[in-house]
Amino acid sequence: MLNVQQVVGRGGQAGKQYRVDLTTLPTSVQIAFHGAEAPLEALLRGPSTPSQLPVPIEPVRYAVPALSDRDKTCAQMRERLAMIQDALAHPPRSPERTAELERAAAKHKVAVRTLQRWIRNVEECGGDVGALANQRPRNSGQRRVIVSRDFDQAWRAKGYPEDVLASLDEWVSEEIESWWQSPAQRAGWRRVQLEVQTGLVLECQGRGFPIHKRFCELSKRRIMTASHHRIVDIRDNDRKRYDDAKPRIRRDNTKFAPMQQIVMDVKPIDNIVLRPDGSEAWPKMIAFQDTGTHRIFCWFVLLPPGEGVRQEHVIEAFLAMVSHPEWGFPKQLYRDNGTEFAVFDKIRSAITMIGGDASRSIINAKPYSGASKPIESKFSMLDRSVFSQMGGYAGGNRMNKKTQTVGKPPAPYQGSFDQFVQEALARILDVHHNMPLHSGPFKGQTSADAFARHASAGWRPVMVDPLALDASFCTMDSRKVDRGFVSIDGNRYSHPELPNGRSVTIARPWRRGALPLVELPELGWAALRPDMLHLPGDIAGAIEASRMQAKQDREVTTMKRKARKANPARHIAARLATLPTNAAPAPLMDVMLSSLAEDIAKGMKDGDAALKAIPDAKARERARMMAETEELERYLAQQYG
């Protein structure tokens, strides 16, 4: 009877193992286990205690070569070695190995034959664990599909030459690239696939090797290998998208001091605000970003219907920023290419005086390149964090009326425009200036912290007289005073001290409705007054005309009194005295071109004499009347004898 004990170990169900007492086995089995040299009395000894049971043999462990953990082959070798490790500890063809293989097959869901093949490969290679990996195919590294699997089979079935098949593969690759570079790429890879397959059918027919179109189908994988060629069509037809995808560099703007560079731009606000008259409007924001601190100065304007941001709005916003005690005058302007920013050319000299670099005082942003203007990313952030959180928000697409209600326009902001501006500035201060940035050189810093760091280090703003800066934006021109008035844009202006008949310098302010200024010879700059029409019979008009005329008489009298009296007779006599007095020389000869010319000249003289002899109309009338009188006298003489 066999003596069997159950112990806990590795393998089996729940780690259960069974140990058999050798003394209870047949003698032939014991001799095979201990060897022939074992004494017979040891084999005939009674049952031993559990402590006297044979110690199980430790299984042989094979090490996997040191390979990268990311190597798929190495992972496969470790996995397979773990499956057969326990079976390798037993001799070949032994019941123990068979039992371990069956256990491993049931546990890992692998066939026993497969496990036996892995063990055989390892033992035949002298314990090389590399034999557990899949064998490299004989044609590894060689291309087995040329154009496509179906196309290659159809081509070879027709007996077409292999060299032409290889050339067709190059043609297909070039054709795919060309169609990706064409406008067909805008419709997606399926359109490119259709065009290439059609071209492949035509190319085979042109080479004299026709193939049915169902064998010319190409996989998406083959088509998408050249999808990067679509950048050619994007560059030729969508410069904005191409520019956004260009390689970029990064700059460390933390090295800039405050107001060393100001980036300016105009942003339409996607919130509906009511005008004082109750009509709906979309505000505009003129923004200035300080590159050195990431601060943003915002100026909001509410325009009349049909109008856009003009130079006067940009100047007004710029003056407000310059007058702010924490901003001041910038050293460099980075402006958009809009016409409303062209007015800053008038203060280029002032910026150069402060910045010191005339060539870099004003920089124009690259057209249609949002990535070149860092303020564009701030606009996107403000849309998400500020304006979309406020009332009246309608989204970026104003034609889409699904923001709040389906098919109806969004509700406007509940409040006045001034209230909208106050709320927007408060939100911008809270969300942008006091919140740390999440990327870039300023990561982890707030705009307020960056400004405070520079201020504590000694930075101070450059302040400019607002009136002097305001005057520098005026447009200078000249006009001639005509009868006491100057004409500007079709309107007449006057001033009591305008010098009649002289040219004066005119300054045209940038503000709409502001009166133009004139530089008077003795009084300096003064405001012109628009010409006012006087009513008929109004004595005030006569008084004003008399005043202007008397003023002109006084000016003329003053000019006459100050001027030296001219003496033209003296100058004429001096010029005549210098004229030459020699007689004119006699002609060298009289030249007559030909006798024909002489006859023609004579005929012309006779014609002139005959023309003079012809009586004029009055003479002919007198002759007619004399003839009629004579005829009447002869008739009367005959009748009355």
Side-chain angles (χ1 to χ4, degrees):
M1 180 177 179
L2 293 178
N3 184 7
V4 181
Q5 292 182 352
Q6 180 177 330
V7 297
V8 179
R10 181 175 54 188
Q13 295 182 355
K16 297 179 181 179
Q17 292 183 349
Y18 298 92
R19 290 184 178 181
V20 180
D21 189 356
L22 289 177
T23 59
T24 60
L25 295 175
T27 304
S28 60
V29 176
Q30 297 183 39
I31 294 175
F33 181 79
H34 290 286
E37 65 278 4
L40 182 60
E41 60 272 10
L43 300 177
L44 299 177
R45 188 180 306 156
S48 59
T49 62
S51 60
Q52 295 175 339
L53 294 176
V55 180
I57 303 174
E58 289 294 330
V60 180
R61 300 294 178 182
Y62 292 88
V64 181
L67 298 176
S68 173
D69 292 339
R70 297 182 180 180
D71 194 324
K72 294 182 179 180
T73 303
C74 182
Q76 184 185 63
M77 292 160 52
R78 287 194 179 96
E79 182 181 2
R80 293 180 177 180
L81 180 60
M83 296 180 188
I84 64 175
Q85 184 73 60
D86 294 337
L88 287 172
H90 302 282
R93 301 181 181 275
S94 64
E96 292 80 2
R97 173 173 288 189
T98 302
E100 288 293 339
L101 290 177
E102 292 177 351
R103 181 192 60 79
K107 179 179 180 180
H108 299 288
K109 308 300 181 182
V110 181
V112 175
R113 288 180 176 271
T114 302
L115 298 176
Q116 291 175 346
R117 186 178 72 252
W118 292 348
I119 293 177
R120 184 174 61 253
N121 293 339
V122 172
E123 292 178 342
E124 289 179 354
C125 295
D128 185 7
V129 183
L132 292 174
N134 291 336
Q135 298 298 320
R136 186 180 181 89
R138 296 180 179 179
N139 57 355
S140 176
Q142 300 178 6
R143 189 172 180 181
R144 295 183 290 274
V145 177
I146 307 302
V147 177
S148 69
R149 192 179 304 276
D150 295 339
F151 186 89
D152 295 352
Q153 293 177 356
W155 183 274
R156 294 187 176 100
K158 290 180 174 293
Y160 293 157
E162 288 290 330
D163 56 343
V164 179
L165 180 62
S167 65
L168 275 178
D169 174 59
E170 297 179 1
W171 182 90
V172 168
S173 299
E174 295 175 356
E175 187 76 358
I176 294 174
E177 294 175 359
S178 64
W179 281 106
W180 273 115
Q181 297 178 14
S182 70
Q185 64 88 17
R186 305 170 199 172
W189 70 271
R190 295 186 184 277
R191 181 57 182 269
V192 176
Q193 180 191 48
L194 174 63
E195 300 294 348
V196 175
Q197 291 175 173
T198 304
L200 180 59
V201 174
L202 299 177
E203 181 68 15
C204 294
Q205 294 176 358
R207 296 191 182 192
F209 305 103
I211 294 289
H212 195 273
K213 65 178 182 180
R214 66 186 179 89
F215 298 111
C216 296
E217 295 181 359
L218 302 176
S219 64
K220 177 183 178 181
R221 183 177 182 180
R222 178 72 187 272
I223 297 297
M224 293 300 295
T225 53
S227 61
H228 59 281
H229 283 267
R230 64 177 8 135
I231 193 66
V232 176
D233 179 65
I234 294 174
R235 185 193 63 178
D236 295 340
N237 299 279
D238 192 349
R239 281 299 176 131
K240 178 66 171 62
R241 181 181 174 189
Y242 177 75
D243 185 80
D244 292 341
K246 281 183 177 179
R248 304 287 178 183
I249 62 172
R250 300 181 64 191
R251 300 184 185 275
D252 188 4
N253 297 332
T254 58
K255 307 302 180 183
F256 275 2
M259 304 307 292
Q260 186 169 346
Q261 184 188 74
I262 291 296
V263 184
M264 60 182 69
D265 203 353
V266 176
K267 171 179 172 49
I269 304 300
D270 297 324
N271 296 71
I272 303 176
V273 179
L274 296 179
R275 297 189 180 93
D277 60 357
S279 60
E280 295 183 351
W282 303 83
K284 301 291 191 301
M285 182 180 71
I286 304 172
F288 303 89
Q289 179 185 350
D290 181 13
T291 304
T293 61
H294 274 235
R295 296 179 300 161
I296 296 181
F297 186 89
C298 301
W299 185 263
F300 296 88
V301 293
L302 193 64
L303 302 174
E307 293 189 5
V309 175
R310 300 185 303 276
Q311 292 184 358
E312 61 180 282
H313 302 121
V314 176
I315 296 174
E316 186 179 12
F318 184 78
L319 291 176
M321 179 195 69
V322 172
S323 303
H324 197 281
E326 295 183 358
W327 289 76
F329 201 82
K331 295 183 178 180
Q332 185 183 79
L333 290 181
Y334 194 99
R335 65 183 179 184
D336 188 65
N337 289 274
T339 56
E340 64 271 15
F341 294 104
V343 70
F344 289 102
D345 290 330
K346 297 180 180 180
I347 61 171
R348 186 185 294 269
S349 58
I351 301 175
T352 303
M353 180 180 63
I354 297 175
D357 189 356
S359 62
R360 304 291 292 175
S361 58
I362 298 180
I363 302 176
N364 294 327
K366 189 175 181 180
Y368 305 105
S369 177
S372 64
K373 292 181 292 184
I375 198 172
E376 293 285 351
S377 61
K378 301 301 180 184
F379 287 165
S380 178
M381 183 274 298
L382 293 179
D383 276 335
R384 297 190 304 268
S385 304
V386 176
F387 301 115
S388 64
Q389 311 298 318
M390 299 176 62
Y393 183 72
N397 185 5
R398 298 183 181 181
M399 301 303 295
N400 184 7
K401 298 182 180 181
K402 300 179 181 179
T403 304
Q404 298 171 358
T405 56
V406 178
K408 297 181 181 180
Y413 180 80
Q414 297 298 319
S416 64
F417 175 66
D418 294 337
Q419 294 174 342
F420 175 83
V421 172
Q422 293 177 3
E423 181 181 351
L425 292 178
R427 287 178 177 269
I428 292 173
L429 183 64
D430 175 60
V431 173
H432 177 64
H433 287 186
N434 296 325
M435 295 293 290
L437 301 177
H438 302 290
S439 62
F442 289 88
K443 183 178 180 179
Q445 304 181 37
T446 66
S447 300
D449 293 340
F451 175 74
R453 185 178 67 255
H454 287 285
S456 60
W459 177 86
R460 294 296 180 269
V462 178
M463 306 305 294
V464 180
D465 184 5
L467 295 179
L469 185 60
D470 189 4
S472 64
F473 285 109
C474 294
T475 302
M476 309 303 294
D477 203 350
S478 63
R479 290 290 188 276
K480 185 176 182 180
V481 182
D482 182 16
R483 288 168 290 183
F485 297 92
V486 292
S487 179
I488 302 175
D489 295 335
N491 300 319
R492 290 173 38 139
Y493 295 89
S494 64
H495 189 274
E497 300 300 327
L498 276 179
N500 192 28
R502 295 172 58 181
S503 294
V504 292
T505 302
I506 300 295
R508 306 168 67 176
W510 52 270
R511 291 184 178 86
R512 176 179 289 189
L515 293 176
L517 307 177
V518 59
E519 187 178 14
L520 298 174
E522 298 179 357
L523 301 178
W525 289 99
L528 290 171
R529 297 181 303 180
D531 182 22
M532 302 296 294
L533 296 178
H534 294 274
L535 295 175
D538 187 2
I539 192 172
I543 295 175
E544 179 66 16
S546 299
R547 187 198 62 78
M548 296 172 60
Q549 294 168 8
K551 176 179 177 297
Q552 182 176 0
D553 290 340
R554 289 194 301 270
E555 292 178 353
V556 173
T557 301
T558 302
M559 287 188 294
K560 181 179 180 180
R561 184 171 57 251
K562 292 181 179 180
R564 186 182 293 109
K565 187 175 182 180
N567 189 358
R570 179 184 177 187
H571 289 190
I572 293 174
R575 288 193 294 269
L576 291 177
T578 59
L579 294 176
T581 58
N582 296 331
L588 182 62
M589 65 178 64
D590 291 334
V591 180
M592 180 57 68
L593 297 178
S594 65
S595 58
L596 178 59
E598 184 177 359
D599 295 340
I600 293 175
K602 183 178 179 181
M604 292 175 64
K605 293 179 180 180
D606 295 342
D608 293 340
L611 184 61
K612 292 179 180 180
I614 297 175
D616 56 2
K618 292 183 178 181
R620 291 196 298 271
E621 182 64 21
R622 287 196 299 271
R624 186 185 62 78
M625 294 176 63
M626 290 297 295
E628 290 180 354
T629 303
E630 292 177 357
E631 183 66 25
L632 180 60
E633 289 178 352
R634 286 196 296 270
Y635 174 76
L636 294 175
Q638 291 177 1
Q639 292 292 331
Y640 302 101

